[in-house]
């Protein structure tokens, strides 16, 4: 029963097969092959408009290059307090931009809201250059705590950005999970609500390593080829990333895989709700389940072979998590067996 | 007949198969899986000593992270005038080090020599900080023009480095090609001659994307985990890089693949030598063949379907390449069919 | 009545005169003149040990170069929430280090304490590289809110740093003000308590532009000449910075100037205490006075020609500053006339 | 007899006096004082158009911030082989831009020419991103070897830049010396010939430390306030830089000072020409005299108390400087006494 992380999962068989199919033969390198071009075009269809797409190989790279594309001197990026970019990327976004700061914004359940965003923005005034200048806002969808931004919530943040002349970036490492959870089209969850750039993740949802950086205004991506190359993210045999996306985006495979992961998380959540010793930290809207439970029971879980991460208690849960309790993070993926979820549910039922 | 580049080739079937084998199942992410650890150990065996190994996914990344590991303020890196790092990496080494300069050193046939290196070093004196300070020397093996450094030549450069307290890095994008050409062990071509760090390439020789950064003094790699992570080169499912290397380094597959590529280049060279209209720019010692030929015949090659790159004429060939002539670069790989080489040889024979 | 900032003041006459004295004649440039060397030696006397000293021209430069000297990949610098480095330097410390992050630590009255520092440090574990690694701790003396760190408090923070192998930097833009307030020697306030590097400010206390970066372990400053030069902070006629320090440090001038500034602040504080409509936000220990007062009265101050800054209400005062109240910052300097303080005191007395 | 460098000279008395005049009194900090604004306006008059001006304190800072203002990913700056930016700034321009490369261009007598510039530009093609992209061209006026660019020569380089969409920067550390040598107005030597940005030097010509970065299109300087602040070049008491420029630019003082320096250099050149043992390396057009002479006589100069630098023999003099000869650099300044020049001339006359 391994709920440690969706990046512990392997690769979906259809994707592996497609890689093998392209393994022989010569093809133009550095993203200029026919396959690369075809899959770039596929992204335009998926998003229902012309987009500029750049394949990269880690979510950290996608996020960092997105920030590099909007970089400004004395720049400040606003993001939620729990954002992956600020907590788990070892300073990559700052490194790739040569210094700009990630300034965190408060907000319950992993979400910024317009009020908290406006409060932060007030600190940066054109007549006080000592504080620097805000250069972008970034949100994570699904959020780091397994919740979603509703499309209207995205639209409200985008409106604040527009009023301040700021680009809005979406870290979509779990893009598919949010999409199926909200039952939206890619366009509805992004540019139709004012998002400018998306880090579109495939790795956590069945690919080996396939991420894409998507710009809804291709004119804003003019320097991206140079940004990607000097960041060592232009791969010679990049067609093998394209080959992953080819299958991933075919016949809705990506949505099926995400739906499975979400469904497994939903069942875990039900099991948790059924045991009065445990409680959910936040609504379960994607493929992550955060459980508040006595530390002693967490150890019992481990003893029974349940793999999971203990999570630092964030600011908005202080007071909620009692002495002797911990916060556990359970993650499901495209590869999580229903049998493991059932087994775990039985354990929870038995511990009542 | 495609001799454009070894990075146009695909993936060797054995490597593809091994990827498929690991595709299912859960494994620890970020380089901590059992497979990752085992393949890291394999590098120690290959190099006959304890080494610190870091898997990355492009040669540019390997080179840039190597430079980041020896970074110093006002730093200068000495490399050959034709080095890939200075000509083809879009400034990545400078970007990843935040400014240090690649200063080029002259030398015939793609090679620095101790005299040219010493001449450059003289410009940097401890009492003249305005010039900056040299922080490393890097050589390419095989060189950018298809020649090799003999082991003694490496030893002599290493002696200069040692005298100046400088680390010596080897860009080994074509490591295997040089190795089989020189009939040396990995140890003999590197640390036994004074090399400190190697960018060990696998991608051009049959892998999809598999590069390794190898430190012969693991103590010098202390910060590399952070350097790699903040450079967005720590992949979650990094075990799939390890899986490529597993087969690549098994039963001498890598050496067989490189031997094939070299043999094909050797045959091309023979064909060139047989035609008085053409001449080789440099000795053919690895898998690249540089031919000086009339531009008009180069066009005929293209008309007959021969894929190759025209190469800028470097300083040491000015005067040698006549008006109306060009420099063509033909590259072979593990996947170059002998039949294509034979076909090309016939064309050359017919054009006499 | 101008209490806006101590950097609005001009230059002390004795310092101006000394500049004039050195104005004619030739002298070795770039810090190698006899005068430069002599004043560097003077710093050793002031600090009662061998130190490495580097003259620079802004406090932001001193702080940023200090950080550059301890720079590490994925680096994180811990500082107080209100630190000048994080709030008022437009990202310079991050820029000069190429990305490292300033992570803020909570603490009342502008001070970090060992407990809050330890709490932050816990987030950075060697086995979790995604968070980065702490590379330094920096404190401000006097603090941004006009309070001092007692020497024991410095020693306690230094002990935490030592336990974690971290250098401790002191931003001493107001070094002299703290020194005379605490009645300590420079040694007692710094290295005897475990401080490793000091940004030693002169500009706010009567110089035109004279700042020094002081390392108590000269071996740790080995690369500083290069760091300073590539940061464009090595001035050709640097002897004119030395000339300022010559007088500044002579016969205790710097301490007299700081004492005056502190005394003026103390009188302002007395005047505030005497009026029940106002209250001091924090103890007044150096040359800054923070007053909580009704916004309406602040406007009356302005109407009467009192220059001051409104200050954003920091986290530890939320709840203390009531609706309709603001936080005013009054700063005194070596040049603040006693008459202005008296005039302001009368206003306050009259407004009762 | 000290001809080592113009930055060994002190400060002109009128400038020193003006500093003293502003020493007392309060004034708005960070460049917002009335004096700052007035002197900024003075630059508009000097250049006969609206310009954006930014005071900084070293030439290296001016050059580096100019490059930061035109920064692009994978950027390359073309400059002459002998440029101060590439030889004497310890990598500052690369550091402040986070990686971009200074690529050197050949050219006799310290000057690039349109042909050599075009040859370099050819290497950078939009379809080959691996080489990076040129982001600016910079020339030095007067050049590093004491020659000038004629206005038409500037215009021709500017035409090449315009054709390639590139900004043209002028490193004017010796701006005044070139101006009086060519008998041009500031406008004629810069924007009327197509220059976009100037590093306007005052330090070498009688100021203590006063440099200005001048943009002829203020719209291109939009981010400069942030660029300057995060580079630690926004000084609190910046009015003291303005105070230097106030006198420097008044009644043509700057031109008189430069004329004196040039005249002294001209006399030195005459003395050199009068002795058959010596010869001038290049025309003497500003305040630097480069002499080729037997090493043994150079030592005699030193023995007689003549201060000067030995200069590395650049590429275009190889073959001209014989075995046993060296290249000596003699620099004059606003403060060079005519008596010293006369004394030196006598030595040369006596050595015949």
């Amino acid at each position: 029963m391994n709920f440690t992380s969706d990046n512990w999962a392997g690769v979906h068989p259809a994707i592996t097969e497609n890689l093998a199919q392209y393994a022989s033969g010569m093809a133009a390198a550095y993203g200029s092959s026919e396959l690369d071009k075809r899959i770039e075009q596929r992204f335009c269809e998926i998003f229902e408009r012309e987009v500029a797409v750049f394949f990269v190989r880690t979510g950290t790279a996608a996020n960092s290059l997105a920030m590099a594309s909007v970089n400004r001197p004395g720049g400040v990026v606003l993001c939620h307090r729990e954002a992956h970019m600020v907590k788990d990327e070892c300073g990559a976004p700052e490194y790739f931009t040569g210094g700009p700061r990630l300034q965190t914004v408060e907000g319950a359940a992993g979400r910024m809201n317009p009020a908290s965003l406006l409060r932060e923005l007030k600190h940066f005034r054109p007549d006080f250059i000592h504080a620097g200048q805000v250069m972008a806002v970034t949100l994570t969808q699904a959020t780091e705590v397994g919740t979603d931004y509703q499309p209207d919530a995205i639209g409200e943040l985008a409106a604040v950005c527009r009023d301040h002349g700021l680009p809005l970036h979406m870290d979509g490492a779990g893009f598919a999970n949010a999409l199926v959870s909200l039952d939206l089209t890619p366009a509805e969850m992004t540019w139709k609500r004012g998002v400018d750039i998306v880090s579109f993740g495939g790795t956590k949802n069945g690919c080996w390593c396939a991420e894409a950086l998507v710009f809804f205004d291709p004119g804003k991506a003019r320097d991206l080829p140079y940004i990607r190359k000097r960041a060592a993210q232009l791969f010679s045999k990049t067609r093998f990333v394209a080959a992953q996306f080819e299958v991933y985006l075919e016949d809705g495979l990506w949505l099926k895989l995400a739906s499975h992961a979400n469904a497994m998380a939903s069942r875990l959540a039900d099991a948790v709700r059924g045991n009065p010793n445990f409680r959910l930290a936040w609504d379960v809207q994607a493929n992550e389940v955060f459980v508040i439970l006595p530390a002693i029971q967490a150890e019992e879980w481990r003893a029974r072979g349940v793999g999971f991460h203990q999570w630092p208690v964030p600011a908005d849960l202080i007071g909620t998590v009692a002495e002797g309790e911990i916060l556990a993070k359970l993650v499901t993926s495209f590869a999580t067996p229903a049998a493991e979820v059932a087994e775990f549910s039985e354990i929870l039922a038995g511990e009542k």
Side-chain angles (χ1 to χ4, degrees), chain A:
Chain A
M1 287 169 291
N2 196 325
F3 307 118
T4 313
S5 176
D6 39 9
N7 61 32
W8 283 45
V11 182
H12 188 270
I15 290 169
T16 304
E17 275 166 37
N18 208 45
L19 286 172
Q21 180 190 323
Y22 288 101
S24 67
M26 301 284 278
Y30 297 119
S32 54
S33 79
E34 182 274 335
L35 176 61
D36 288 290
K37 294 301 163 196
R38 185 153 46 79
I39 303 309
E40 284 178 26
Q41 196 50 41
R42 184 78 184 100
F43 272 85
C44 299
E45 296 165 21
I46 292 279
F47 281 103
E48 302 172 51
R49 67 178 288 165
E50 197 200 342
V51 298
V53 190
F54 301 87
F55 301 143
V56 295
R57 291 205 180 167
T58 66
T60 295
N63 290 338
S64 298
L65 300 197
M67 294 305 102
S69 78
V70 297
N71 200 9
R72 299 194 57 190
V76 171
V77 176
L78 298 179
C79 62
H80 187 267
R81 181 201 345 108
E82 301 296 316
H84 193 268
M85 280 171 66
V86 82
K87 298 198 75 168
D88 292 300
E89 300 190 351
C90 200
E94 294 97 324
Y95 177 55
F96 280 97
T97 49
R101 178 179 303 160
L102 303 182
Q103 180 100 3
T104 57
V105 177
E106 290 300 308
R111 301 185 195 99
M112 292 183 289
N113 54 61
S116 56
L117 189 55
L118 279 166
R119 204 175 313 123
E120 259 334 297
L121 282 165
K122 256 191 350 194
H123 295 147
F124 301 92
R125 308 185 322 258
D127 62 336
F128 189 71
I129 60 163
H130 309 274
Q133 57 182 335
V134 180
M135 68 189 207
V137 174
T138 177
L139 59 84
T140 314
Q141 178 80 321
T143 75
E144 282 76 10
V145 301
T147 58
D148 293 329
Y149 281 94
Q150 291 293 320
D152 284 356
I154 297 171
E156 286 164 24
L157 294 174
V160 173
C161 289
R162 200 170 45 242
D163 289 350
H164 290 75
L166 295 172
L168 178 59
H169 167 257
M170 175 183 281
D171 176 354
F175 190 92
N177 301 96
L179 202 67
V180 300
S181 162
L182 293 165
D183 196 19
L184 296 170
T185 66
E188 287 166 353
M189 199 170 80
T190 58
W191 63 269
K192 288 191 173 173
R193 299 297 171 162
V195 173
D196 297 294
I197 311 172
V198 171
S199 297
F200 182 94
T203 306
K204 294 183 157 202
N205 193 32
C207 294
W208 162 6
C209 65
E211 308 282 319
L213 190 51
V214 181
F215 288 79
F216 297 118
D217 178 351
K220 296 281 172 59
R222 182 187 165 289
D223 269 342
L224 229 285
Y226 295 98
I227 288 175
R228 179 172 59 172
K229 173 65 189 174
R230 82 167 168 176
Q233 288 285 331
L234 178 60
F235 297 82
S236 55
K237 301 181 180 176
T238 184
R239 67 186 184 275
F240 292 113
V241 176
Q244 295 176 66
F245 277 130
E246 185 179 41
V247 176
Y248 183 72
L249 298 175
E250 204 171 56
D251 297 332
L253 177 62
W254 62 310
L255 304 176
K256 286 174 215 156
L257 298 181
S259 294
H260 174 80
N262 288 7
M264 292 302 104
S266 184
R267 287 188 206 169
L268 287 180
D270 288 343
V272 168
R273 274 191 216 94
N275 186 323
N277 294 332
F278 310 134
R279 56 200 190 282
L280 296 172
W282 299 285
D283 283 353
V284 174
Q285 295 173 326
N287 64 322
E288 298 182 340
V289 181
F290 287 82
V291 187
I292 302 168
L293 78 167
I296 201 161
Q297 269 181 300
E299 280 178 38
E300 204 171 303
W301 285 7
R302 288 207 199 277
R304 284 163 174 265
V306 181
F308 65 93
H309 274 306
Q310 180 174 344
W311 205 247
V313 176
D316 60 323
L317 283 196
I318 292 173
T320 305
V321 178
E323 184 79 24
E325 288 186 325
I326 68 152
L327 182 61
K329 178 188 183 186
L330 310 176
V331 187
T332 57
S333 79
F334 80 97
T336 302
E340 287 198 1
V341 172
E343 187 184 349
F344 179 73
S345 301
E346 274 174 38
I347 291 176
L348 261 59
E351 279 179 349
K352 257 185 274 196

